[in-house]
Amino acid sequence: MRSLRTALSLASLVTGALMLFTAPAAHAADTPLRDLAAAKGKIVGTAVTGSKLTGTYGDIAGAQFSSLTPGNAMKWGSVEPTQGSFNWTEADQIVAFAEAHGQQVRGHTLVWHNQNPSWLTNGSWTSAQLSSLLQNHISTEVGRYKGRIAAWDVVNEPFNEDGTYRSTLWYNGLGADYIANALTWAHAADPAAKLYINDYNVEGVNAKSTALYNLVKSLKDRGVPIDGVGLQAHLILGQVPSTLQQNIQRFADLGVDVAITELDVRMALPADSAKLAQQAADYKSVVAACVAVARCVNVTVWGFADSDSWVPSTFPGYGAATPYDDNYAPKPAYYGIAEALGGTTTPPPSTDGCTAAYSVTNQWSTGFTGEVRIACSGASLSSWKVNWTYGAGQQVTQAWNATCTQSGAAVTCANASYNGTVPDGGSVTFGFNGSWSGSNPVPTVTLG
Ligand code: XIL
């Protein structure tokens, strides 16, 4: 009797506090990354695949990021698969999407040894022919998007690990000056675009980054248009170079901008909560290093979702390298980025080992009573949130032992002050009344 009275008085208390308002997305940080970055004077970007820019993928790409890099769409092999016959479809689509969402575009990439068309790599060219092919390619592509591309990765991956020039079609055919010429041609085609040299394993101070440093210094001394360096940052879990910020700073001191252009942090699969926490720390420290240096202007992730990452196919056994999972739910890494950008949202607790089950316990002509039971086994919770989406127009009218809000069909219920804890082996139940008509199907609930 006593406990029933207690439950009833709690019920009326919670019921009285029930509020209906437009709730933010269940899991994402309240402030989008692009707004957090803007407050720090930074741009935050992602590589994208043009064909995916609809639905949830498009929503996240548009809402969270202030810069897009075509992952493949602007590479020579994509835009000119047959000599003289161009395909700009995906590149145009990405540029249009970016413009519609107030985003910058990083053009990627004009001069590289990979993903060139076979007619180019299989041809035999004199150096004069090679030079004019390259000049035409740069003039055509940069000219096409003149005024619409904030920055170009003009030259990609010119160095070996020891700091010598990589032996490529370009270096072998044209000598090291292919780099200066490419920059000069790109500048002529779009004088407003910032021109970058981009490479990997140049994040810390090492032989390769020092070679890049010396190249940039000599280009500047010669008056060659070079505006920035791109540090790709394809990193391995737990291996953010300790000299990252120092390295960014030395390029800044040279008088060029720095961008983190292709950030991802891969881990041996399967992922687990310890690895995901380490990954969050890694993302956070990379973004923090950029935030710390005024001339570090952009941090771009190489695909924002694990389902859109190059890692699993390129590094067998590795994956889970991006800030969102396969289903576009933000991972701890997302919150690591947000925190480095000054965001305060903490990630939802891990719900591994805990489940939520929805049931209708009573139903009459216009209303029903439902309950959700949260149970943990091999895990525990110190707070919880349960979400579901009604499929038949049901409406929660009151709730007890939880605070529930409904926006459209989406319901979110959070623990009350006194029942956030679900111990290992224990459970918590909350209830609600709702209205229905026609049918009252049981929704799928998620615990967050
Ligand atoms: C990758 C793409 O993400 C993949 O889809 C493609 O199959 C291979 O290239 N460094 C770069 C990027 O500069 O262009 C590469 O992108 C990843 C490594």
Side-chain angles (χ1 to χ4, degrees):
M1 190 57 202
R2 189 167 183 276
S3 67
L4 180 61
R5 256 213 323 273
T6 309
L8 285 172
S9 67
L10 283 171
S12 53
L13 218 149
V14 174
T15 303
L18 179 72
M19 292 185 302
L20 300 178
F21 60 91
T22 307
H27 296 292
D30 295 340
T31 308
L33 297 181
R34 62 184 287 174
D35 296 347
L36 294 173
K40 297 276 184 194
K42 308 291 175 187
I43 297 291
V44 63
T46 180
V48 290
T49 303
S51 60
K52 297 186 180 174
L53 284 170
T54 58
T56 307
Y57 182 98
D59 291 345
I60 295 172
Q64 294 287 335
F65 299 96
S66 41
S67 174
L68 301 183
T69 304
N72 290 299
M74 289 186 172
K75 292 170 181 173
W76 199 334
S78 300
V79 302
E80 195 183 357
T82 305
Q83 188 170 14
S85 144
F86 295 89
N87 182 354
W88 303 106
T89 312
E90 190 190 350
D92 285 355
Q93 182 197 352
I94 293 169
V95 173
F97 183 98
E99 288 173 347
H101 292 81
Q103 297 168 307
Q104 293 187 356
V105 178
R106 286 192 67 86
H108 177 85
T109 179
L110 298 168
V111 193
W112 195 24
H113 59 279
N114 279 334
Q115 292 181 275
N116 286 318
S118 52
W119 63 262
L120 176 66
T121 50
N122 294 340
S124 66
W125 314 102
T126 65
S127 75
Q129 287 172 322
L130 207 51
S131 180
S132 93
L133 282 168
L134 185 58
Q135 179 172 10
N136 279 336
H137 168 63
I138 291 173
S139 310
T140 303
E141 183 154 2
V142 177
R144 178 180 183 86
Y145 297 107
K146 183 180 179 186
R148 303 171 73 191
I149 304 283
W152 274 104
D153 291 331
V154 177
V155 178
N156 202 30
E157 304 181 346
F159 289 110
N160 294 316
E161 298 304 291
D162 66 1
T164 57
Y165 283 110
R166 185 191 289 270
S167 154
T168 68
L169 174 67
W170 308 114
Y171 181 75
N172 298 342
L174 302 172
D177 252 5
Y178 83 89
I179 296 173
N181 288 333
L183 290 161
T184 302
W185 295 327
H187 184 68
D190 186 353
K194 301 289 186 194
L195 306 182
Y196 280 67
I197 300 171
N198 191 50
D199 215 327
Y200 64 91
N201 287 350
V202 292
E203 294 76 28
V205 174
N206 58 36
K208 192 173 184 179
S209 65
T210 299
L212 177 61
Y213 179 90
N214 290 332
L215 170 63
V216 170
K217 190 170 174 357
S218 89
L219 291 170
K220 282 193 78 76
D221 289 346
R222 290 165 59 191
V224 174
I226 174 74
D227 299 294
V229 294
L231 316 181
Q232 291 186 5
H234 293 295
L235 302 176
I236 298 170
L237 190 72
Q239 296 185 27
V240 178
S242 59
T243 51
L244 173 60
Q245 188 181 323
Q246 178 194 337
N247 192 43
I248 293 172
Q249 187 67 56
R250 73 171 170 159
F251 282 104
D253 293 344
L254 212 46
V256 292
D257 291 339
V258 179
I260 308 292
T261 52
E262 305 184 16
L263 177 59
D264 52 24
V265 180
R266 63 186 180 267
M267 63 183 70
L269 294 172
D272 60 32
S273 54
K275 291 179 192 175
L276 293 172
Q278 176 65 53
Q279 185 184 50
D282 291 345
Y283 268 94
K284 185 175 178 179
S285 73
V286 171
V287 176
C290 184
V291 167
V293 180
R295 288 202 79 144
C296 186
V297 296
N298 180 317
V299 178
T300 287
V301 296
W302 202 246
F304 62 82
D306 290 342
S307 48
D308 191 39
S309 170
W310 74 310
V311 165
S313 59
T314 311
F315 304 97
Y318 284 79
T322 81
Y324 286 81
D325 71 13
D326 287 334
N327 302 313
Y328 304 130
K331 294 159 56 182
Y334 171 91
Y335 298 95
I337 297 171
E339 282 171 27
L341 294 172
T344 50
T345 306
T346 48
S350 166
T351 55
D352 294 352
C354 300
T355 54
Y358 177 113
S359 53
V360 174
T361 56
N362 190 17
Q363 183 169 302
W364 55 99
S365 58
T366 56
F368 67 100
T369 300
E371 72 172 34
V372 172
R373 178 185 167 85
I374 300 150
C376 292
S377 167
S380 62
L381 295 174
S382 58
S383 68
W384 45 262
K385 233 180 209 187
V386 178
N387 304 291
W388 65 87
T389 302
Y390 277 130
Q394 302 100 315
Q395 180 75 42
V396 173
T397 52
Q398 59 178 173
W400 49 93
N401 298 332
T403 302
C404 293
T405 61
Q406 182 166 351
S407 171
V411 179
T412 297
C413 296
N415 61 271
S417 59
Y418 51 84
N419 66 357
T421 300
V422 186
D424 186 357
S427 67
V428 165
T429 300
F430 67 90
F432 50 92
N433 285 333
S435 61
W436 69 284
S437 70
S439 67
N440 186 19
V442 170
T444 305
V445 297
T446 55
L447 187 59

